[in-house]
Amino acid sequence: MVLADLGRKITTALRSLNSATVINEEVLNAMLKEIVTALLEADVNIRLVKGLRENVRAVIDFDEMAAGLNKRRMIQSAVFKELVKLVDPGVKAYQPVKGKSNVIMFVGLQGSGKTTTCTKLAYHYMKKGWKTCLVCADTFRAGAYDQLKQNATKARIPFYGSYTEIDPVIIAQEGVAMFKKEGFEIIIVDTSGRHKQQDSLFEEMLQVSNAVSPDNIIFVMDATIGQACEGQSRAFKDKVNVGSVIITKLDGHAKGGGALSAVAATQSPVIFIGTGEHIDDLEPFKTKPFISKLLGMGDIEGLIEKVNDLGLEDNEELIEKLKHGHFTLRDMYEQFQNIMKMGPFSQIMGMIPGFSQDFLAKGSEKESMARLKRLMTMMDSMNDGELDNRDGAKLFTKQPGRIIRVSCGAGVTEREVRELLTQYTKFAAVVKKMGGIKGLFKGGDMGKNVNPNQMAKLNQQMAKMMDPRVFQQMGGMGGLQNIMRQLQQGAGGLGNMFGGGAGGSAPSGSGGGRR
Ligand code: GDP
Ligand code: MG
């Protein structure tokens, strides 16, 4: 993501304050100049950039400032606030309501990523336990229905569409009515786009909107079009009641600044960003965590949310077992399932301060997941007695015949099974000590939420389990300790980051891990 460059440049500018002996007008101006240049290079609208500079300058009045005040801190937090303002229209996004039908309509130009994002969003809600479905009201583009059907089938999401009906309004109406009757909670309507903003497109959009009365209209915007984002989003906003925005293609080479600053034009909140073609490549967008992450401060809130999504509170049985020092192979199997459910490993890593999104190469991530799956396949070949045995590994050492049986069943070598058991024994020891993954996160405020020690242990074990090479890429133990140090600092809240001095999480802090 090219936005990461922007983040690095702004962080460098902010850090220049730390090395200055005296903070005066000159130092401030030099820093602002650097930030302004970086923002303009990232395609952020010039009017907004000017506004940002003026607002920061207005906050800092050197003549009036008392000598004892921490000027560095004030300047840095003013910049942070202004950056947040840049992407925050101050409007709350529509929140779907459980137990009722929420109709969400997608609009946007052809190729912006509507159909792809519809499926991603449906998948997102489905994973969270909502009754979700898709309606294809695009009769303009050849093969549009097939595309949606294929995506939906792969993700097992119910869908509605037609090969014969040519009126999108009728399809939308029928599909939404049917799903409403069946008690679906999230009904997503995909519409057609045109190559350009045409009257005919807007006319059709209005008719579909009138026919299904959506609770929320999501405007999908392609980040790669840069400065053109602003005009485009204005045009859509003028025609229909756009409630939220999703920015797509923020992976690749998009500068992103154009799309992000178009938020000001729509006065609608960005709710998600698309970061790839895969169904999992959709990230909830929240302004403060986004800016924190951009500046290399990590996204602790997002990480906690992911863990909460897993609903580990329900896992009282496991907690109870752990209290008594039991951790079976089946428990490990379930923990693996949780890790897989949390989504791509790199996404999780990207939320940890000091790590960047693109930290793990896609290739090695796939390998890690494949390795985890292989371990699970071996466990699939075990019987209940083995999986639930409280000394899982001992049973196998006492009766080596079991190892042979599992290796045959899973189509792996005996050595691999032995390795799995060794890893399990180590994993169990760590997990027992920390009281389960849930033990990582305690209630209370954000600063106290993450227990860095336990996080370190888990990560260490997870990385080892998944692939020794990945572990090395992470900079081995040194790298991990570094991350944890950063996590500790980051978890203290933004106040710590801007506390002046050398504190905070320099992006360079991830040791040998960064490439
Ligand atoms: P629509 O015409 O608005 O429905 O757009 P599509 O959903 O058909 O997407 C157009 C192209 O953009 C497809 O090739 C998608 O795979 C691709 N695409 C959509 N979202 C993203 C994204 O977040 N990142 C990347 N790299 N590609 C995307
Ligand atoms: Mg489409």
Side-chain angles (χ1 to χ4, degrees):
M1 210 198 296
V2 181
L3 273 177
D5 288 339
L6 172 64
R8 261 191 289 281
K9 282 181 193 156
I10 297 178
T11 313
T12 310
L14 287 173
R15 286 184 167 270
S16 69
L17 292 182
N18 291 341
S19 50
T21 37
V22 190
I23 306 289
N24 54 23
E25 195 98 31
E26 221 172 288
V27 174
L28 174 63
N29 284 342
M31 183 208 74
L32 281 174
K33 198 172 164 202
E34 265 182 68
I35 292 180
V36 163
T37 311
L39 288 168
L40 290 177
E41 275 173 8
D43 264 349
V44 177
N45 183 293
I46 186 158
R47 215 169 4 87
L48 298 172
V49 176
K50 271 189 179 161
L52 179 141
R53 187 180 56 196
E54 276 154 28
N55 290 344
V56 173
R57 298 214 40 172
V59 173
I60 313 298
D61 183 341
F62 287 102
D63 295 335
E64 300 239 314
M65 254 188 208
L69 269 180
N70 191 336
K71 291 173 195 154
R72 285 186 185 89
R73 194 187 169 123
M74 282 188 71
I75 294 172
Q76 286 169 335
S77 81
V79 171
F80 184 82
K81 268 190 208 141
E82 286 301 317
L83 287 172
V84 169
K85 246 167 67 185
L86 211 60
V87 290
D88 184 3
V91 182
K92 257 193 129 61
Y94 172 77
Q95 291 296 332
V97 183
K98 266 258 170 199
K100 90 171 243 266
S101 290
N102 301 272
V103 178
I104 301 171
M105 176 175 158
F106 272 57
V107 299
L109 289 192
Q110 181 156 319
S112 60
K114 282 184 303 302
T115 305
T116 314
T117 312
C118 277
T119 329
K120 286 181 184 176
L121 189 69
Y123 183 68
H124 168 86
Y125 280 115
M126 194 175 76
K127 266 198 315 196
K128 284 182 176 268
W130 296 69
K131 204 174 167 198
T132 309
C133 61
L134 287 162
V135 176
C136 173
D138 179 0
T139 52
F140 181 78
R141 186 180 189 165
Y145 180 40
D146 278 326
Q147 187 194 359
L148 181 127
K149 198 167 145 183
Q150 217 170 36
N151 289 349
T153 309
K154 229 196 266 168
R156 297 170 195 268
I157 301 161
F159 59 91
Y160 181 88
S162 168
Y163 286 113
T164 48
E165 178 57 63
I166 51 161
D167 187 350
V169 179
I170 292 178
I171 300 179
Q173 213 160 20
E174 284 180 357
V176 169
M178 182 188 92
F179 284 128
K180 268 189 172 172
K181 215 159 73 194
E182 292 176 14
F184 276 84
E185 295 172 303
I186 303 280
I187 304 173
I188 297 177
V189 183
D190 187 16
T191 64
S192 68
R194 300 285 194 272
H195 290 298
K196 275 191 297 197
Q197 298 150 25
Q198 288 168 351
D199 288 345
S200 56
L201 162 69
F202 287 132
E203 190 47 42
E204 180 183 310
M205 215 166 66
L206 259 181
Q207 283 177 9
V208 173
S209 172
N210 288 337
V212 303
S213 318
D215 297 289
N216 191 17
I217 296 183
I218 295 180
F219 171 53
V220 177
M221 184 163 49
D222 176 343
T224 58
I225 65 171
Q227 294 279 0
C229 285
E230 180 161 6
Q232 194 189 97
S233 46
R234 231 181 255 286
F236 275 86
K237 180 79 181 181
D238 283 349
K239 287 290 190 290
V240 286
N241 187 18
V242 172
S244 334
V245 177
I246 294 182
I247 301 174
T248 61
K249 309 185 194 178
L250 269 174
D251 38 326
H253 298 292
K255 288 180 179 175
L260 287 166
S261 52
V263 172
T266 57
Q267 281 300 301
S268 311
V270 178
I271 50 171
F272 286 93
I273 54 176
T275 54
E277 298 190 59
H278 191 255
I279 196 157
D280 252 335
D281 298 329
L282 185 73
E283 294 178 32
F285 182 88
K286 292 202 184 102
T287 49
K288 270 192 193 152
F290 177 80
I291 299 293
S292 303
K293 200 169 149 186
L294 187 68
L295 300 181
M297 298 187 289
D299 176 13
I300 301 280
E301 261 178 78
L303 189 60
I304 289 167
E305 200 171 290
K306 279 229 169 208
V307 172
N308 286 343
D309 278 357
L310 296 177
L312 297 171
E313 308 80 46
D314 304 340
N315 207 341
E316 275 169 27
E317 202 188 326
L318 175 64
I319 309 279
E320 199 49 39
K321 271 203 261 177
L322 288 168
K323 269 192 207 151
H324 298 99
H326 304 307
F327 182 78
T328 62
L329 277 156
R330 190 189 299 283
D331 295 329
M332 184 166 82
Y333 189 90
E334 281 166 8
Q335 298 283 3
F336 282 2
Q337 274 177 325
N338 282 333
I339 291 169
M340 296 250 209
K341 264 194 257 163
M342 273 176 86
F345 195 52
S346 64
Q347 237 184 49
I348 297 169
M349 283 319 201
M351 291 180 179
I352 298 174
F355 267 122
S356 78
Q357 181 74 29
D358 49 12
F359 171 69
L360 276 178
K362 286 259 173 202
S364 70
E365 175 180 332
K366 258 197 199 131
E367 271 176 38
S368 303
M369 280 299 169
R371 182 168 152 80
L372 213 51
K373 277 201 184 127
R374 200 170 166 82
L375 295 174
M376 288 168 83
T377 309
M378 288 186 238
M379 288 187 265
D380 282 331
S381 294
M382 293 177 182
N383 60 36
D384 287 347
E386 288 157 352
L387 286 172
D388 297 322
N389 194 290
R390 296 208 160 150
D391 294 305
K394 260 188 209 153
L395 195 61
F396 287 92
T397 31
K398 270 190 226 151
Q399 299 168 326
R402 293 177 186 269
I403 294 181
I404 299 170
R405 201 197 75 245
V406 171
S407 76
C408 289
V412 301
T413 61
E414 286 170 42
R415 210 184 113 207
E416 273 183 277
V417 180
R418 277 201 198 90
E419 256 166 39
L420 163 71
L421 293 169
T422 312
Q423 297 281 21
Y424 156 72
T425 309
K426 286 186 193 159
F427 197 70
V430 173
V431 177
K432 268 179 207 166
K433 252 187 238 156
M434 62 182 228
I437 291 186
K438 187 182 184 281
L440 280 171
F441 300 91
K442 297 190 196 114
D445 71 71
M446 214 178 101
K448 295 182 193 124
N449 257 334
V450 177
N451 182 332
N453 276 337
Q454 293 176 343
M455 189 66 165
K457 280 188 197 135
L458 176 77
N459 264 336
Q460 207 176 308
Q461 205 51 42
M462 219 164 89
K464 265 197 226 158
M465 285 299 270
M466 290 172 84
D467 191 337
R469 271 167 306 166
V470 173
F471 183 60
Q472 271 159 20
Q473 277 169 19
M474 287 168 69
M477 284 295 290
L480 275 163
Q481 275 157 3
N482 241 330
I483 300 157
M484 287 316 128
R485 223 172 292 132
Q486 291 176 10
L487 197 63
Q488 255 164 328
Q489 285 162 351
L494 301 175
N496 266 7
M497 167 64 190
F498 286 147
S505 44
S508 61
S510 52
R514 187 170 291 273
R515 283 173 295 170

